[in-house]
């Protein structure tokens, strides 16, 4: 699925992508195309990309090709998804303790779309932090 | 050029003959058609003409073959009727020998062939049916034979059976020839129907209907099921048996189609045939253009039906924008707003005058009447505590009565009347004569006729 989503190959492209979008939410997945967790996340991203294309855009970044953001955003997990709106990083309260990113592979398309919608609404209103509809503090239990 | 009157006379004559022939058949059951000279003449003529090709493009009333074709059509229906009659007779005779055969084999021609094979035999093992019948039918016949093949027919009966079989056979051959002839000329009789479905099927339909006029008058639904054969299913499952197969079932297009499509194409064909038949009846299009057009349109429509439905479009979600609520004005919405608006009463109930204490309150909640009970301000409240609100005077009086009487706890089992030594009930006879002290005697003046007594009282003692 990752071959169906646009990739950003260097730091400049990433910057441009974040700066250029004025209307939509920018969703960037940091990871590797060959990593299984990334693959799972990519599938979810691809499936929901068509549905949310009116208010969000999805990009994929390979962190070995583009190592510029690794320390800045602390990209030490296999998969990391971050949200940007009008050059501002959006924070989400997922219950995991880390509000900056989603650093696990989600398995439900609808959940992801819900999160994106909440972030978009909050971003439109000018909020920097939104509360996710579902709590992921116990995500490993089931 | 043939004189019109002459043709008319000829026509009338021939019509009469047809009517006579029909009459004859009704009167004498055992076939007279084969002896009928007119019919034999007609048949000969048909055989002669079958060899020729038509030179003109159209056949109208002036063409010599026109009447021949019409008569052939009529004779065809007569022959069918004849065959049925004789078949009935044959069944009646052969019933003594092999009664169940008629239920297994319904088609008269097949029945005749089988009867000719069996004749008077008792054991069917020697006889080979496989050329005439399908496998299931052969089995059915053999099994039925074991049970019901009884006795022998007398010499007379066998002779009669042979005769009847022979008659049916000859009639059948004549019929086939006539149908062949009609088919060859079909293009000229009903060009539009032939253009639509082909000459063979067109001739079958026309023969079954009994003429182009009758075919034109049939509704399309009837045309659709024409020719559906009544088959004995011999214990086979009816699940796959398509009820729609009539004459149309023989067409290639129909046979290629599957399931629902088959029904659709047969229906389309039937409706178009009905249209074409009406055109042919009126003879407005002798070249068959209407039939061609109908066919082209029908095939186009058929192609369209077979296309798969369009692909499913996945719509993206709308932008989760909070739309500004459009407020509407006008009398209606004003009224709606008034219903939910804050009233003066509520305003006063929410406030208290400075310095004065609140009076009524619902327990400890603090919700009370506020300024309404304090009696100050524009809105004042009159609370009538004794009178229950919302009751009419009558109801209130009744309520008051019941309050004073019983406490309501006795229910309907006790009465309010109490018997004491001083108080009791006296039941009074409502009749007027009771109160008088004079004892009852038969001829007492007081205890006389009621009517007389009444008149005495009214008019004085005159009686």
């Amino acid at each position: 699925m990752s071959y169906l989503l646009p990739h950003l190959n260097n730091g400049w492209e990433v910057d441009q992508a974040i700066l250029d979008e004025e209307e939509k939410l920018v969703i960037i997945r940091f990871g590797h195309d060959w990593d299984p967790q990334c693959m799972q996340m990519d599938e979810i991203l691809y499936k929901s990309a068509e549905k949310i294309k009116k208010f969000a855009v999805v990009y994929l970044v390979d962190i070995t090709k583009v190592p510029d953001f690794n320390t800045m955003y602390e990209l030490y997990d296999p998969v990391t998804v971050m949200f940007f709106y009008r050059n501002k990083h959006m924070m989400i309260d997922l219950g995991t303790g880390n509000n900056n990113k989603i650093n696990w592979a989600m398995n439900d398309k609808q959940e992801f779309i819900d999160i994106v919608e909440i972030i978009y609404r909050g971003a439109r209103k000018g909020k920097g932090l939104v509360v996710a509809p579902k709590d992921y503090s116990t995500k490993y239990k089931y | 050029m043939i004189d019109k009157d002459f043709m008319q006379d000829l026509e009338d004559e021939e019509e009469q003959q047809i009517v006579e022939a029909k009459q004859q058949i009704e009167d004498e059951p055992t076939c007279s058609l084969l002896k009928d000279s007119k019919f034999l003449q007609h048949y000969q003529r048909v055989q002669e003409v079958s060899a020729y090709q038509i030179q003109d493009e159209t056949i109208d009333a002036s063409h010599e073959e026109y009447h021949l074709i019409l008569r052939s059509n009529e004779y065809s229906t007569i022959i069918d009727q004849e065959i049925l009659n004789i078949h009935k007779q044959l069944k009646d005779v052969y019933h003594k020998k092999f009664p169940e055969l008629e239920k297994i084999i319904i088609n008269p021609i097949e029945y005749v062939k089988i009867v000719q094979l069996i004749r008077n035999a008792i054991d069917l093992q020697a006889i080979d049916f496989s050329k005439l019948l399908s496998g299931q039918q052969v089995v059915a016949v053999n099994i039925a034979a074991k049970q019901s093949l009884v006795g022998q027919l007398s010499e007379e009966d066998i002779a009669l059976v042979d005769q009847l079989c022979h008659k049916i056979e000859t009639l059948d051959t004549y019929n086939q020839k006539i149908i062949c002839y009609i088919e060859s000329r079909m293009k000229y009789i009903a060009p539009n129907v032939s253009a639509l479905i082909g000459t063979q099927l067109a001739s079958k339909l026309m023969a079954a209907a009994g003429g182009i006029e009758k075919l034109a008058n049939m509704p399309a639904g009837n045309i659709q099921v024409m020719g559906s054969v009544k088959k004995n299913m011999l214990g086979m499952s009816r699940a796959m048996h398509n009820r729609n197969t009539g004459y149309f079932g023989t067409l290639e297009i129909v046979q290629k189609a599957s399931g629902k499509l088959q029904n659709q194409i047969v229906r389309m064909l039937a409706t178009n045939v009905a249209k074409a038949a009406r055109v042919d009846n009126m003879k407005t299009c002798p070249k068959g253009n209407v039939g061609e057009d109908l066919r082209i349109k029908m095939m186009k429509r058929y192609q369209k039906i077979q296309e798969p439905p369009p692909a499913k479009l996945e719509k993206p979600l709308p932008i989760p924008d909070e739309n500004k609520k459009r407020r509407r004005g006008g009398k209606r919405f004003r009224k709606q707003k008034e219903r939910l608006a804050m009233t003066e009463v509520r305003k006063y109930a929410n406030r208290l005058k400075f310095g004065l204490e609140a009076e009524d309150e619902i327990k400890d909640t603090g919700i009370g009447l506020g300024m309404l009970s304090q009696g100050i301000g524009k809105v004042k409240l009159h609370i009538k505590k004794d009178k229950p609100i919302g009751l009419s005077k009558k109801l209130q009086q009744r309520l008051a009565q019941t309050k004073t009487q019983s406490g309501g706890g006795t229910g309907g089992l006790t009465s309010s009347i109490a018997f004491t030594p001083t108080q009791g009930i006296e039941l009074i006879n409502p009749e007027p004569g009771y109160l008088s002290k004079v004892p009852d005697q038969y001829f007492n003046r007081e205890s006389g006729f009621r009517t007389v007594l009444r008149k005495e009282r009214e008019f004085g003692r005159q009686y």
Side-chain angles (χ1 to χ4, degrees), chain A residues 46-100:
Chain A
Y46 171 68
K47 281 182 184 169
S48 44
E50 266 303 305
K51 286 221 147 185
I52 59 177
K53 68 178 183 183
K54 286 202 171 173
F55 53 93
V57 64
V58 181
Y59 292 107
L60 305 181
V61 173
D62 189 325
I63 48 179
T64 41
K65 273 192 193 170
V66 189
D68 311 330
F69 303 96
N70 289 359
T71 45
M72 188 175 16
Y73 294 140
E74 292 176 19
L75 306 172
Y76 304 130
D77 303 298
V79 59
T80 315
V81 178
M82 295 179 74
F83 302 87
F84 300 89
Y85 186 73
R86 290 188 184 165
N87 200 19
K88 190 174 81 170
H89 164 64
M90 294 299 300
M91 298 176 61
I92 335 132
D93 180 6
L94 296 155
T96 52
N98 189 344
N99 292 350
N100 299 315

Coordinates of all heavy atoms in Angstrom, one line a residue, chain A residues 46-100:
Chain A
Y46 N -3.8 4.3 3.6 CA -4.3 4.3 2.3 C -5.8 4.2 2.2 O -6.4 4.9 1.4 CB -3.6 3.1 1.5 CG -4.2 2.9 0.1 CD1 -4.1 3.9 -0.8 CD2 -5.0 1.8 -0.1 CE1 -4.6 3.7 -2.1 CE2 -5.6 1.7 -1.4 CZ -5.4 2.6 -2.3 OH -6.0 2.5 -3.5
K47 N -6.3 3.3 3.0 CA -7.8 3.1 2.9 C -8.6 4.3 3.3 O -9.6 4.7 2.8 CB -8.2 1.9 3.8 CG -8.0 0.6 3.3 CD -8.5 -0.5 4.2 CE -8.1 -1.8 3.7 NZ -8.4 -2.9 4.6
S48 N -8.0 5.1 4.3 CA -8.8 6.2 4.8 C -8.4 7.5 3.9 O -9.2 8.5 4.0 CB -8.5 6.5 6.2 OG -7.2 6.3 6.6
A49 N -7.3 7.4 3.2 CA -6.9 8.6 2.4 C -8.0 9.1 1.5 O -8.2 10.3 1.3 CB -5.6 8.3 1.7
E50 N -8.6 8.1 0.8 CA -9.7 8.5 -0.2 C -10.8 9.2 0.5 O -11.4 10.1 0.0 CB -10.2 7.2 -0.8 CG -9.6 6.9 -2.2 CD -9.6 8.0 -3.2 OE1 -10.7 8.5 -3.5 OE2 -8.6 8.5 -3.6
K51 N -11.1 8.7 1.7 CA -12.3 9.2 2.4 C -12.1 10.6 3.0 O -13.0 11.4 3.1 CB -12.7 8.3 3.5 CG -13.4 7.0 3.0 CD -14.6 6.6 3.9 CE -15.6 6.0 3.1 NZ -16.8 5.7 3.8
I52 N -10.8 10.8 3.5 CA -10.6 12.1 4.2 C -9.9 13.1 3.3 O -9.5 14.2 3.8 CB -9.8 11.9 5.4 CG1 -8.4 11.2 5.1 CG2 -10.5 11.0 6.4 CD1 -7.5 11.1 6.3
K53 N -9.9 12.9 2.0 CA -9.0 13.7 1.1 C -9.5 15.1 1.0 O -8.8 16.0 0.6 CB -9.0 13.1 -0.3 CG -10.2 13.1 -1.0 CD -10.0 12.5 -2.4 CE -11.2 12.6 -3.2 NZ -11.1 12.0 -4.5
K54 N -10.8 15.4 1.5 CA -11.3 16.7 1.5 C -10.7 17.6 2.6 O -10.8 18.8 2.5 CB -12.8 16.7 1.5 CG -13.4 16.3 0.2 CD -14.8 16.8 0.1 CE -15.4 16.5 -1.3 NZ -16.8 16.8 -1.4
F55 N -10.3 17.0 3.6 CA -9.7 17.8 4.7 C -8.4 17.3 5.3 O -7.9 17.8 6.2 CB -10.7 17.9 5.9 CG -11.2 16.6 6.4 CD1 -10.6 16.0 7.5 CD2 -12.3 16.0 5.9 CE1 -11.1 14.8 8.0 CE2 -12.8 14.8 6.4 CZ -12.2 14.2 7.4
A56 N -7.8 16.3 4.6 CA -6.5 15.9 5.1 C -5.7 15.3 3.9 O -6.3 14.8 3.0 CB -6.7 14.8 6.2
V57 N -4.4 15.3 4.0 CA -3.5 14.8 3.0 C -2.4 13.9 3.7 O -1.9 14.3 4.8 CB -2.9 15.9 2.1 CG1 -2.0 16.8 2.9 CG2 -2.2 15.3 0.9
V58 N -2.1 12.8 3.1 CA -1.2 11.9 3.7 C 0.1 11.8 3.0 O 0.1 11.7 1.7 CB -1.8 10.4 3.7 CG1 -0.9 9.5 4.4 CG2 -3.2 10.5 4.4
Y59 N 1.3 11.8 3.7 CA 2.6 11.6 3.1 C 3.3 10.6 3.9 O 3.1 10.3 5.1 CB 3.4 12.9 3.1 CG 2.8 14.0 2.3 CD1 2.2 15.1 2.8 CD2 3.0 13.9 0.9 CE1 1.7 16.1 2.0 CE2 2.5 14.9 0.1 CZ 1.8 16.0 0.6 OH 1.3 17.0 -0.2
L60 N 4.3 9.9 3.2 CA 5.1 8.9 3.8 C 6.6 9.4 3.8 O 7.0 9.9 2.7 CB 5.0 7.6 3.1 CG 3.6 7.0 3.0 CD1 3.6 5.6 2.3 CD2 2.9 6.9 4.3
V61 N 7.3 9.2 4.9 CA 8.7 9.6 4.9 C 9.5 8.4 5.4 O 9.2 7.8 6.5 CB 8.9 10.8 5.8 CG1 10.4 11.1 6.0 CG2 8.2 12.0 5.2
D62 N 10.6 8.1 4.7 CA 11.5 7.1 5.1 C 12.6 7.7 6.0 O 13.3 8.6 5.6 CB 12.2 6.4 3.9 CG 12.9 5.2 4.2 OD1 13.5 5.1 5.3 OD2 13.0 4.2 3.4
I63 N 12.7 7.2 7.3 CA 13.6 7.9 8.2 C 15.1 7.6 8.0 O 15.9 8.3 8.6 CB 13.2 7.7 9.7 CG1 13.0 6.2 9.9 CG2 11.9 8.4 10.0 CD1 12.6 5.9 11.4
T64 N 15.4 6.6 7.2 CA 16.8 6.5 6.9 C 17.2 7.4 5.7 O 18.3 7.9 5.6 CB 17.2 5.0 6.5 OG1 16.1 4.5 5.7 CG2 17.3 4.2 7.7
K65 N 16.3 7.6 4.8 CA 16.5 8.5 3.7 C 16.5 10.0 4.2 O 17.3 10.8 3.7 CB 15.4 8.4 2.6 CG 15.7 7.3 1.6 CD 14.7 7.5 0.4 CE 14.7 6.3 -0.4 NZ 13.6 6.3 -1.4
V66 N 15.6 10.2 5.1 CA 15.5 11.6 5.6 C 15.7 11.6 7.1 O 14.8 11.6 7.9 CB 14.1 12.2 5.3 CG1 14.0 13.6 5.5 CG2 13.7 11.9 3.8
P67 N 17.0 11.6 7.5 CA 17.2 11.5 8.9 C 17.1 12.9 9.7 O 17.3 12.9 10.9 CB 18.7 11.0 9.0 CG 19.3 11.4 7.7 CD 18.2 11.6 6.7
D68 N 16.7 13.9 9.0 CA 16.8 15.3 9.5 C 15.9 15.5 10.7 O 16.1 16.3 11.6 CB 16.4 16.3 8.5 CG 17.2 16.1 7.2 OD1 18.3 15.6 7.3 OD2 16.6 16.4 6.1
F69 N 14.8 14.7 10.7 CA 13.8 15.0 11.7 C 13.9 14.0 12.9 O 13.0 14.0 13.8 CB 12.4 14.9 11.1 CG 12.2 15.9 10.0 CD1 12.4 15.5 8.7 CD2 11.9 17.2 10.3 CE1 12.2 16.3 7.6 CE2 11.8 18.1 9.2 CZ 11.9 17.7 7.9
N70 N 14.8 13.1 12.8 CA 14.8 12.0 13.8 C 15.0 12.5 15.3 O 14.3 12.0 16.2 CB 15.9 11.0 13.5 CG 15.6 10.2 12.3 OD1 14.5 10.4 11.7 ND2 16.5 9.3 11.9
T71 N 16.0 13.4 15.5 CA 16.1 13.9 16.8 C 15.1 14.9 17.2 O 14.6 15.0 18.3 CB 17.5 14.6 17.0 OG1 17.7 15.4 15.8 CG2 18.6 13.5 17.0
M72 N 14.7 15.7 16.2 CA 13.7 16.8 16.4 C 12.4 16.3 16.9 O 11.9 16.8 17.9 CB 13.5 17.6 15.1 CG 12.7 18.8 15.3 SD 12.5 19.9 13.9 CE 12.9 19.0 12.5
Y73 N 11.9 15.2 16.2 CA 10.6 14.7 16.6 C 10.8 13.4 17.4 O 9.8 12.7 17.7 CB 9.8 14.4 15.4 CG 9.4 15.6 14.6 CD1 9.4 15.7 13.2 CD2 9.0 16.8 15.3 CE1 9.0 16.8 12.6 CE2 8.6 17.9 14.6 CZ 8.6 17.9 13.2 OH 8.2 19.1 12.6
E74 N 12.0 13.0 17.8 CA 12.2 11.8 18.6 C 11.6 10.6 17.9 O 10.8 9.9 18.4 CB 11.7 11.9 20.0 CG 12.5 12.9 20.8 CD 11.9 13.2 22.1 OE1 11.1 12.3 22.6 OE2 12.1 14.2 22.8
L75 N 12.1 10.4 16.6 CA 11.5 9.3 15.8 C 12.3 8.0 16.1 O 13.1 7.6 15.3 CB 11.5 9.6 14.4 CG 10.9 10.9 14.0 CD1 11.1 11.2 12.5 CD2 9.4 10.9 14.2
Y76 N 12.0 7.4 17.3 CA 12.8 6.1 17.6 C 11.9 4.9 17.5 O 12.3 3.8 17.7 CB 13.3 6.2 19.0 CG 14.2 7.4 19.2 CD1 14.0 8.3 20.3 CD2 15.2 7.8 18.3 CE1 14.8 9.4 20.4 CE2 16.0 8.9 18.4 CZ 15.8 9.7 19.5 OH 16.5 10.8 19.6
D77 N 10.6 5.1 17.1 CA 9.7 3.9 17.0 C 9.7 3.4 15.6 O 10.0 4.1 14.7 CB 8.3 4.3 17.5 CG 8.3 4.8 18.9 OD1 8.6 4.1 19.8 OD2 7.9 6.0 19.0
P78 N 9.3 2.2 15.4 CA 9.2 1.7 14.0 C 8.2 2.5 13.2 O 8.5 2.8 12.0 CB 8.6 0.2 14.2 CG 8.6 -0.1 15.6 CD 8.9 1.1 16.4
V79 N 7.1 2.9 13.7 CA 6.2 3.8 12.9 C 5.8 5.0 13.8 O 5.5 4.8 15.0 CB 4.9 2.9 12.5 CG1 4.2 2.4 13.7 CG2 4.0 3.8 11.6
T80 N 5.7 6.1 13.2 CA 5.3 7.3 13.9 C 4.4 8.1 12.9 O 4.8 8.4 11.7 CB 6.5 8.2 14.2 OG1 7.5 7.4 14.8 CG2 6.1 9.3 15.2
V81 N 3.3 8.6 13.4 CA 2.4 9.4 12.6 C 2.2 10.7 13.3 O 1.8 10.7 14.5 CB 1.0 8.7 12.4 CG1 0.1 9.6 11.6 CG2 1.2 7.4 11.7
M82 N 2.4 11.8 12.5 CA 2.3 13.1 13.2 C 1.4 14.0 12.3 O 1.2 13.8 11.1 CB 3.7 13.8 13.3 CG 4.5 13.0 14.3 SD 6.2 13.7 14.4 CE 5.8 15.2 15.4
F83 N 0.7 15.0 13.0 CA -0.3 15.8 12.3 C 0.1 17.2 12.4 O 0.6 17.8 13.4 CB -1.6 15.6 13.0 CG -2.1 14.2 13.1 CD1 -1.7 13.3 14.1 CD2 -2.9 13.7 12.1 CE1 -2.2 12.0 14.1 CE2 -3.4 12.4 12.1 CZ -3.0 11.6 13.1
F84 N 0.0 17.9 11.2 CA 0.3 19.3 11.1 C -0.8 20.1 10.5 O -1.4 19.6 9.5 CB 1.6 19.5 10.3 CG 2.8 18.8 10.8 CD1 3.0 17.5 10.4 CD2 3.6 19.4 11.7 CE1 4.2 16.8 10.9 CE2 4.7 18.8 12.2 CZ 5.0 17.5 11.8
Y85 N -1.1 21.3 11.0 CA -2.1 22.2 10.4 C -1.5 23.6 10.3 O -1.2 24.2 11.4 CB -3.4 22.1 11.2 CG -4.5 22.9 10.6 CD1 -5.1 22.4 9.4 CD2 -4.9 24.1 11.1 CE1 -6.1 23.1 8.8 CE2 -5.9 24.8 10.4 CZ -6.5 24.3 9.3 OH -7.5 25.0 8.7
R86 N -1.4 24.1 9.1 CA -0.9 25.4 8.9 C 0.5 25.6 9.6 O 0.6 26.6 10.4 CB -1.9 26.5 9.3 CG -3.1 26.5 8.4 CD -4.0 27.7 8.7 NE -5.2 27.6 7.8 CZ -6.3 28.3 8.0 NH1 -6.3 29.1 9.1 NH2 -7.3 28.2 7.2
N87 N 1.3 24.7 9.3 CA 2.7 24.8 9.8 C 2.7 24.7 11.4 O 3.7 25.1 12.0 CB 3.4 26.1 9.4 CG 4.9 26.0 9.5 OD1 5.4 24.9 9.6 ND2 5.5 27.1 9.5
K88 N 1.7 24.2 12.0 CA 1.7 24.0 13.4 C 1.5 22.6 13.7 O 0.6 21.9 13.1 CB 0.6 24.9 14.0 CG 0.7 25.0 15.6 CD -0.3 25.9 16.1 CE -1.6 25.2 16.2 NZ -2.6 26.0 17.0
H89 N 2.3 22.1 14.6 CA 2.2 20.7 15.0 C 1.0 20.5 16.0 O 0.8 21.3 16.9 CB 3.5 20.2 15.7 CG 3.3 19.0 16.5 ND1 3.0 17.8 15.9 CD2 3.4 18.7 17.8 CE1 3.0 16.8 16.8 NE2 3.2 17.4 18.0
M90 N 0.1 19.5 15.7 CA -1.1 19.3 16.5 C -0.9 18.2 17.5 O -0.3 17.2 17.2 CB -2.3 18.9 15.6 CG -2.8 19.9 14.6 SD -3.4 21.4 15.4 CE -4.7 20.8 16.4
M91 N -1.3 18.4 18.7 CA -1.1 17.4 19.8 C -2.4 16.8 20.1 O -3.5 17.4 20.1 CB -0.6 18.1 21.0 CG 0.8 18.7 20.7 SD 1.5 19.7 22.1 CE 1.7 18.6 23.4
I92 N -2.3 15.5 20.3 CA -3.6 14.7 20.6 C -3.4 14.0 21.9 O -2.4 13.3 22.1 CB -3.8 13.6 19.6 CG1 -3.2 13.9 18.2 CG2 -5.3 13.3 19.4 CD1 -2.5 12.8 17.7
D93 N -4.4 14.0 22.8 CA -4.4 13.3 24.1 C -4.9 11.9 23.8 O -6.1 11.7 23.8 CB -5.2 14.1 25.1 CG -5.2 13.3 26.4 OD1 -4.5 12.3 26.6 OD2 -5.9 13.8 27.3
L94 N -4.0 10.9 23.6 CA -4.5 9.6 23.3 C -4.5 8.7 24.6 O -4.9 7.6 24.5 CB -3.5 8.9 22.3 CG -3.5 9.6 20.9 CD1 -2.2 9.3 20.2 CD2 -4.7 9.1 20.1
G95 N -4.1 9.2 25.6 CA -4.0 8.4 26.9 C -2.7 7.6 27.0 O -2.5 7.0 28.1
T96 N -1.9 7.6 26.0 CA -0.6 6.9 26.1 C 0.5 7.6 26.9 O 1.5 7.0 27.2 CB -0.1 6.6 24.7 OG1 0.0 7.8 24.0 CG2 -1.0 5.6 24.0
G97 N 0.3 8.9 27.1 CA 1.4 9.6 27.7 C 2.1 10.5 26.7 O 2.7 11.6 27.1
N98 N 2.2 10.1 25.5 CA 2.8 10.9 24.4 C 1.8 11.6 23.6 O 1.1 10.9 22.8 CB 3.7 9.9 23.6 CG 4.6 10.7 22.7 OD1 4.4 11.9 22.4 ND2 5.7 10.1 22.2
N99 N 1.7 12.9 23.7 CA 0.6 13.6 23.0 C 1.1 14.0 21.6 O 0.3 14.6 20.9 CB 0.2 14.8 23.8 CG -0.5 14.4 25.1 OD1 -0.8 13.3 25.2 ND2 -0.8 15.4 25.9
N100 N 2.3 13.8 21.3 CA 2.8 14.4 20.0 C 2.5 13.6 18.8 O 2.4 14.1 17.7 CB 4.3 14.6 20.1 CG 4.7 15.6 21.2 OD1 4.1 16.6 21.3 ND2 5.7 15.2 21.9

